[in-house]
Amino acid sequence: MNKPKINIISSGKYLPKDKITNQDLEKMVDTNNEWIVSRTGIVTRHKATHETASEMAYLAAKAALDKANFSPDQVDLIIVATITGDQMTPSTANLVQKKLGIEHECMSFDINAACTGFVYGLEIASQMLASKKFRSALIIGSERLTSVTNYEDRNTCVLFGDGAGALLIEPSNSNKHEAYFFNTAKPDVDDSLTVRQYIEMDGRKVFLFAVDVIKRSIERILEDANLTKDAIDVFIPHQANIRIIQAVSKAMDIPMEKFVVNIEHYGNTSAASIPITLSEYLDANPPKNQRVLMVGFGGGFTYGSAIITT
Ligand code: COA
């Protein structure tokens, strides 16, 4: 198996200032704080006002670059995972490149793999960096989901929020930086989770799918990497519902303390959820050889995992 070696340089996030609380939602639809907290774990989510997906992506990328004092002149690849890009073309990544003032040869493009987008993007970037044609890469997840949320549908409107997270990586020569990936998709013919004008979904079906594939995806990547679950320091799952994470914790006998969870504050931010959570984890835990397993799942259905070492 081809195992690209990547070094994490930095990470960043951006969350818009405005928030939608459970109390705000109580005024919009027939719901209540107790139901939302007990069924999802969500208390607030952020809402973009003037910020587009490209603006949030840029601000998360800039936070990552500034943190490491890393010049955009060294960035040769930008991948943005999003389902709520500003427009069809130029891509969100093209707009980020422009906002960063990058005028040298740099490849930038978007990918759409719904909530798994960041994990797919990380694999694409890692494989491209292994070619040694790119000095460093920004992988960004950015979403403005409130613009595709129907605030008359209580089944969905309590779940989603806006934000962006970014990871800056470079090729490495060290064996300790070998990255592992397992990514796949299982076409859903029943339209269980779609975004046409608005997000529409069969919540129960998506819930059961998520618990099943998170478990399978974790087991599969551990097998490929020849590691046991005990060799993983932390698990960063896509933040969709606290009960999905609790169900995986129970089914796999992995303590909840090993899962990094922030859904309470942000809700489900689709492709942005894993990089936002990773960025918060890296800020709180400066690199010291920890193995991080990220696992995403979402519309498509798509799902996948990545193991990287900090
Ligand atoms: N407030 C109050 N009641 C609500 C509600 C809300 N916001 N949303 C739904 N309900 C009601 C339903 O109408 C249903 O009522 P009924 O029994 O009278 O029909 C009841 O609550 C239970 O609905 P159910 O769908 O069984 O709830 P659930 O336990 O599955 O929770 C979700 C619903 C959406 C929170 C849950 O299914 C979920 O999180 N699914 C995964 C969603 C997801 O992760 N999507 C993105 C994937 S990337």
Side-chain angles (χ1 to χ4, degrees):
M1 192 183 34
N2 179 14
K3 290 170 285 182
K5 295 172 185 172
I6 54 161
N7 180 42
I8 299 171
I9 303 169
S10 182
S11 63
K13 65 171 183 179
Y14 177 79
L15 278 315
K17 227 197 218 130
D18 277 23
K19 292 180 186 176
I20 303 176
T21 64
N22 290 349
Q23 287 69 29
D24 293 331
L25 289 161
E26 283 176 359
K27 293 178 200 138
M28 298 181 206
V29 287
D30 180 13
T31 191
N32 58 77
N33 177 53
E34 197 280 325
W35 190 96
I36 302 171
V37 173
S38 65
R39 305 309 288 163
T40 71
I42 303 168
V43 177
T44 55
R45 38 333 257 137
H46 289 249
K47 177 176 169 44
T49 48
H50 58 285
E51 305 96 330
T52 57
S54 71
E55 183 69 9
M56 291 188 283
Y58 158 69
L59 291 167
K62 189 166 176 341
L65 292 164
D66 289 352
K67 211 183 284 174
N69 206 9
F70 196 89
S71 166
D73 294 347
Q74 308 275 324
V75 176
D76 296 336
L77 173 65
I78 302 171
I79 299 177
V80 176
T82 186
I83 58 168
T84 47
D86 305 9
Q87 61 212 359
M88 288 186 196
T89 193
S91 72
T92 313
N94 289 156
L95 297 173
V96 171
Q97 179 180 344
K98 183 171 182 203
K99 287 174 204 274
L100 286 172
I102 297 177
E103 290 186 357
H104 65 270
E105 290 175 358
C106 175
M107 193 187 279
S108 51
F109 58 91
D110 292 357
I111 61 164
N112 175 345
C115 309
T116 322
F118 177 79
V119 182
Y120 278 23
L122 183 57
E123 170 158 17
I124 295 166
S126 303
Q127 302 291 355
M128 289 174 75
L129 288 183
S131 73
K132 303 282 196 261
K133 283 163 69 178
F134 306 87
R135 290 170 296 171
S136 68
L138 275 165
I139 307 103
I140 308 165
S142 182
E143 299 287 10
R144 198 188 155 129
L145 293 178
T146 57
S147 65
V148 290
T149 298
N150 177 359
Y151 287 98
E152 291 181 359
D153 176 11
R154 70 173 182 174
N155 291 295
T156 54
C157 73
V158 299
L159 300 173
F160 300 100
D162 301 333
L167 188 68
L168 178 63
I169 60 173
E170 65 186 353
S172 165
N173 291 322
S174 159
N175 285 345
K176 90 171 189 224
H177 288 141
E178 278 175 352
Y180 295 86
F181 298 99
F182 170 69
N183 288 307
T184 188
K186 179 177 166 189
D188 169 42
V189 288
D190 297 332
D191 275 4
S192 317
L193 177 53
T194 58
V195 185
R196 293 188 177 103
Q197 184 184 2
Y198 292 123
I199 301 168
E200 290 182 46
M201 107 188 142
D202 176 343
R204 191 102 285 266
K205 190 170 167 194
V206 176
F207 190 104
L208 295 173
F209 160 80
V211 176
D212 177 47
V213 297
I214 293 176
K215 183 171 172 291
R216 280 201 276 137
S217 183
I218 292 175
E219 284 167 353
R220 178 57 194 274
I221 198 169
L222 288 173
E223 189 188 317
D224 286 354
N226 200 18
L227 293 169
T228 65
K229 59 182 196 257
D230 298 334
I232 303 299
D233 294 292
V234 287
F235 294 81
I236 298 186
H238 168 47
Q239 315 276 314
N241 185 322
I242 188 71
R243 288 188 299 127
I244 292 176
I245 302 170
Q246 287 163 341
V248 172
S249 156
K250 192 163 170 229
M252 300 195 72
D253 195 22
I254 299 170
M256 269 306 279
E257 301 74 63
K258 276 204 167 188
F259 289 87
V260 189
V261 178
N262 58 17
I263 187 165
E264 181 186 346
H265 308 295
Y266 310 130
N268 180 343
T269 56
S270 191
S273 103
I274 291 178
I276 290 172
T277 313
L278 178 63
S279 177
E280 292 186 342
Y281 173 75
L282 292 172
D283 283 348
N285 300 274
K288 52 168 199 247
N289 272 336
Q290 283 130 332
R291 274 204 200 97
V292 178
L293 192 158
M294 292 166 266
V295 55
F297 61 91
F301 287 126
T302 55
Y303 58 102
S305 300
I307 299 175
I308 54 174
T309 307
T310 68

